[in-house]
Amino acid sequence: MDILTIALPALGEALALVFHPTQLMFLCAGVLLGLSIGVLPGLGGIAGLSLVLPFMFGMDPVSGLALMVGLIAVIPTSDTFSSVLLGIPGSSASQATVLDGFPLARKGEAGRALAAAFVSSLYGGLFGALILTCIIFVARPLILAFGLPEMLMITILGMSMVAILAGRVPLKGIVACGLGLLLGTIGSAPAGGSLRMSTYDIPYLVDGFQLVIVGLGIYAIPEVVSLLRQDKPISNSGTLGRGWLDGLRDWWRNRWLSTKCAAIGVVVGVIPGLGGSVVDWIAYGYAVQSTKDRDRFGQGDIRGVIAPESSNNAKEGGGLVPTLIFGIPGSGSMAVFLGGLALLGLSPGPSMIRQDLDITYTIVWSLALANVIGAGLCVLLSGQIAKLTTIRFTLLAPFLFMMIAFAAFQSRQSLGDLVALVGIGLIGILLRRFDFSRPAFLIGFVLSAQAEQFVNMATQIASARFRRGMEAGLDYIFTPITVTLLVLTVLSIVIGIRQSKNIRENIDTHTGTKRAPMIFLLAVTAYVVISIGDAATITRFGDKVFPLTVGLVTLAACLALVVRMMRRPETDDVFIDLESGGADAEAPQGLWRTLAWFLGLLVLTGLFGLVIALSLFFVGFFRLRAGLTWVKAALLAAVGVGFIVFLASTLGRDFPPGLLQEFTNLPWPLR
């Protein structure tokens, strides 16, 4: 009863604050900014919040909160545009949407996919806000119940989604996941600082690879190169295809799936460390496991859009729970959000719940209202944005290359970001070509760091408990939550292996000779062997046990694949090669010639810096590849360079420098 007497008045005060004209203005400003950031591939909540932080100091707390919450609430909605229309994840939380959203757009059903995505996002956002409202007082014991063993088990549960996304050959899924895990271990070990597959002679590798680089490299580069080779629009239809009502009906038919996935989003958001990087995969995996007719997943199943979109918006409400109650960020964007709260003079934690409950609920109401406004604006703007799919892709590709390069450079502000992007992009192209699961690779990378940290910490504590006694050790490991998660993980793996052949990232596949797939597999095996050897030389046990274990498991899967390749005929699925038949093989432009354009942009950037390189790249590409006149090529180049300079100046970002900048003192943005 005390809760009701305190909470209800605070809710009423928060409602009055949110609907004040000034606060509504700031909320709408945040929503518009979030939409602008979200539609650009690779830029997400961290970049958007970083933009507004300089303006937070001295602002009215409610106005500042409205601005920030409006921004972070709408980005998971607006990033759907690039995922569905371009096949490029708008952010780390919209990667699973690509699997079915992009095939729907290529079928001319972009309107249906977007409608289902937006209503799912709206529902998930409102669901998350509702749960956040109810959980403010009861979340403390829930979060405290998750110790290291529970965190480790839920991480393993996330990795069990690999079984669902393994594709036609489950062993390939294991290899892809293992490669992702090993990529995540490159650099300085989190426990003891030992260097793994890196050296101080190449400082960039010491800190490992960033998610934005890996996400863009694994998905954006292969898809842009593939579409560019076709030299035609993404969709031949001049409209969004099957209308919005179809998408709304699809959501209504799958409303319980949407509700369950929204609940998954809240739970994953509540647990610090998981956040948006994995929530969409868990929801997608659940959608596959819980349905009977799974054959269309990966080929344009609307449920593959509804599930991740419901969860990735709901996770924002869940992520605010540990952020507000404990001051523990649930994700990268929540970490920046904490910085904004500090600038507003607010201290998240139990004291904020007790003393500023009206401010706390202002955040909740702002979150709900921002989702409504954001979804409405997305619907209004969809018709114009979707026309991008009808433009000849050769005219769009240079601008996408520009945005991908700019987004990647924001990782560390180093030219090494672009080198890493191209290298991982090449890996993504080869994984796609030989039908290795790219989602499995990405899940492995995302969960690698936290899995290793949880393993190290849980092992140390468990060892101390077991030294005290067997019962104390078992009680620490086998809690009710860990046992439940263990059962769910086993069920997920069993069901996933049975159904993995139904989840196909590439619909039309062809097998060729044994040579190319075998060479790629042997190259992967060689890298795994080198990684194992590198891990074995590390003296500190805590720094080598994780990469060594992952490497040995991955090596076993590689060797099993080698044996299968030696024993099976060339028609077996293990020899799938997209360059041996189908759309890729029949593309008018070659793979390596197309990729060479992106490599050329990298070389020019290394010599002259990104702005000068983009100017040369745009003119050359539009004139030579697109066949435009010199005047049109120069005009489009000016538009592209002007846009990226304006964006960088607005965000306060720099451009990658080249050798030229070391010898001359050029003004910004050329320096």
Side-chain angles (χ1 to χ4, degrees):
M1 186 61 67
D2 290 338
I3 291 178
L4 292 179
T5 58
I6 296 173
L8 291 180
L11 280 170
E13 293 175 17
L15 189 62
L17 287 172
V18 169
F19 281 98
H20 189 278
T22 303
Q23 317 312 333
L24 277 177
M25 181 187 70
F26 279 103
L27 183 69
C28 291
V31 168
L32 290 173
L33 182 59
L35 284 174
S36 303
I37 296 292
V39 297
L40 301 176
L43 298 178
I46 296 177
L49 285 172
S50 300
L51 169 64
V52 301
L53 278 185
F55 306 100
M56 289 292 102
F57 185 78
M59 282 187 67
D60 174 71
V62 179
S63 300
L65 286 173
L67 183 64
M68 290 195 296
V69 174
L71 188 149
I72 62 175
V74 78
I75 283 179
T77 303
S78 58
D79 63 15
T80 306
F81 281 117
S82 61
S83 298
V84 171
L85 299 180
L86 303 176
I88 301 173
S91 68
S92 60
S94 63
Q95 293 157 351
T97 306
V98 174
L99 295 185
D100 287 285
F102 188 51
L104 284 168
R106 301 193 76 169
K107 293 177 182 178
E109 299 183 23
R112 178 190 177 199
L114 289 173
F118 293 150
V119 70
S120 299
S121 295
L122 173 60
Y123 181 75
L126 294 176
F127 185 90
L130 175 63
I131 296 300
L132 178 59
T133 302
C134 301
I135 209 172
I136 287 293
F137 286 100
V138 298
R140 183 181 178 87
L142 174 65
I143 296 178
L144 290 179
F146 277 81
L148 288 174
E150 289 80 10
M151 299 282 277
L152 176 59
M153 280 308 306
I154 203 166
T155 303
I156 294 174
L157 175 62
M159 282 193 286
S160 72
M161 294 300 110
V162 170
I164 289 289
L165 301 166
R168 297 167 177 81
V169 183
L171 279 174
K172 285 188 174 182
I174 296 174
V175 171
C177 181
L179 283 177
L181 287 165
L182 289 175
L183 185 71
T185 64
I186 291 177
S188 176
S194 303
L195 293 186
R196 300 177 303 198
M197 294 297 291
S198 58
T199 171
Y200 287 118
D201 295 331
I202 309 177
Y204 185 88
L205 292 178
V206 174
D207 293 328
F209 294 99
Q210 300 297 308
L211 178 58
V212 64
I213 301 286
V214 178
L216 290 172
I218 291 297
Y219 273 104
I221 299 298
E223 296 305 330
V224 171
V225 169
S226 176
L227 290 170
L228 184 55
R229 293 177 61 193
Q230 306 298 326
D231 197 17
K232 62 182 182 180
I234 297 172
S235 174
N236 295 321
S237 172
T239 65
L240 283 171
R242 291 175 56 188
W244 295 93
L245 290 178
D246 290 312
L248 294 175
R249 294 190 192 102
D250 287 324
W251 177 83
W252 181 253
R253 284 193 294 267
N254 296 282
R255 59 190 180 277
W256 295 116
L257 173 65
S258 181
T259 301
K260 294 173 185 176
C261 291
I264 291 173
V266 171
V267 172
V268 173
V270 164
I271 301 171
L274 292 182
S277 301
V278 73
V279 63
D280 54 333
W281 294 118
I282 294 179
Y284 187 89
Y286 173 78
V288 176
Q289 291 175 329
S290 61
T291 54
K292 295 180 180 179
D293 51 328
R294 306 173 173 91
D295 295 343
R296 297 195 309 274
F297 277 97
Q299 305 177 24
D301 194 312
I302 197 66
R303 293 170 296 184
V305 174
I306 291 173
E309 289 300 315
S310 299
S311 65
N312 64 20
N313 270 57
K315 71 116 176 28
E316 298 299 338
L320 282 169
V321 172
T323 304
L324 296 178
I325 294 178
F326 299 116
I328 300 173
S331 63
S333 60
M334 287 296 112
V336 184
F337 183 74
L338 279 177
L341 292 179
L343 291 175
L344 294 173
L346 299 173
S347 301
S351 61
M352 184 174 176
I353 304 298
R354 291 192 299 267
Q355 301 171 12
D356 297 307
L357 190 57
D358 56 337
I359 299 295
T360 304
Y361 276 126
T362 297
I363 298 175
V364 178
W365 285 115
S366 299
L367 183 66
L369 186 58
N371 275 282
V372 175
I373 297 174
L377 288 175
C378 284
V379 171
L380 292 176
L381 297 173
S382 295
Q384 300 303 315
I385 296 177
K387 290 180 180 178
L388 292 172
T389 63
T390 64
I391 300 174
R392 180 185 167 201
F393 194 77
T394 308
L395 302 179
L396 289 177
F399 299 107
L400 292 176
F401 277 144
M402 174 186 70
M403 289 307 307
I404 291 168
F406 180 71
F409 180 69
Q410 304 316 310
S411 175
R412 293 185 195 161
Q413 300 276 302
S414 166
L415 187 62
D417 292 328
L418 300 187
V419 177
L421 176 67
V422 173
I424 296 175
L426 180 59
I427 295 174
I429 289 172
L430 294 175
L431 290 174
R432 178 182 179 274
R433 173 178 174 175
F434 297 112
D435 201 40
F436 283 77
S437 173
R438 288 182 293 169
F441 180 96
L442 204 54
I443 287 179
F445 176 80
V446 166
L447 295 178
S448 178
Q450 64 192 56
E452 180 173 9
Q453 291 177 2
F454 294 154
V455 165
N456 287 337
M457 290 187 293
T459 301
Q460 292 174 6
I461 297 175
S463 299
R465 295 289 183 91
F466 276 112
R467 284 195 292 270
R468 288 165 45 190
M470 180 65 68
E471 184 176 352
L474 293 177
D475 287 342
Y476 175 72
I477 296 175
F478 295 105
T479 65
I481 296 178
T482 57
V483 172
T484 302
L485 292 174
L486 178 61
V487 172
L488 291 175
T489 301
V490 173
L491 290 175
S492 175
I493 294 173
V494 172
I495 297 174
I497 292 176
R498 290 180 179 177
Q499 304 300 332
S500 61
K501 294 183 179 181
N502 297 324
I503 314 304
R504 303 182 178 187
E505 186 180 5
N506 302 310
I507 304 171
D508 299 322
T509 57
H510 300 267
T511 57
T513 63
K514 291 187 175 184
R515 181 179 178 182
M518 179 65 84
I519 291 176
F520 176 68
L521 178 59
L522 290 177
V524 170
T525 305
Y527 174 78
V528 174
V529 170
I530 294 173
S531 298
I532 293 173
D534 177 78
T537 61
I538 297 174
T539 55
R540 193 178 188 280
F541 179 78
D543 290 348
K544 72 177 182 180
V545 61
F546 186 79
L548 196 60
T549 303
V550 171
L552 290 173
V553 173
T554 307
L555 179 60
C558 287
L559 295 177
L561 275 177
V562 170
V563 172
R564 177 168 173 172
M565 284 185 172
M566 295 174 62
R567 300 178 60 181
R568 298 292 181 90
E570 293 179 348
T571 56
D572 190 84
D573 282 342
V574 76
F575 295 110
I576 287 175
D577 184 354
L578 299 187
E579 293 296 320
S580 63
D584 284 6
E586 298 168 3
Q589 302 291 338
L591 170 62
W592 303 112
R593 183 189 303 175
T594 303
L595 184 61
W597 282 101
F598 197 79
L599 292 172
L601 176 59
L602 173 63
V603 173
L604 289 174
T605 302
L607 293 174
F608 306 111
L610 183 62
V611 174
I612 298 176
L614 280 174
S615 303
L616 299 173
F617 171 76
F618 276 139
V619 173
F621 188 94
F622 286 128
R623 181 69 184 95
L624 301 177
R625 182 64 182 267
L628 301 182
T629 63
W630 286 108
V631 174
K632 290 183 178 179
L635 180 61
L636 288 176
V639 170
V641 173
F643 171 78
I644 201 67
V645 169
F646 170 77
L647 181 64
S649 63
T650 304
L651 295 174
R653 303 290 182 175
D654 290 323
F655 294 105
L659 291 175
L660 179 63
Q661 282 73 13
E662 295 184 5
F663 299 100
T664 58
N665 186 20
L666 297 173
W668 191 91
L670 300 180
R671 67 172 182 268

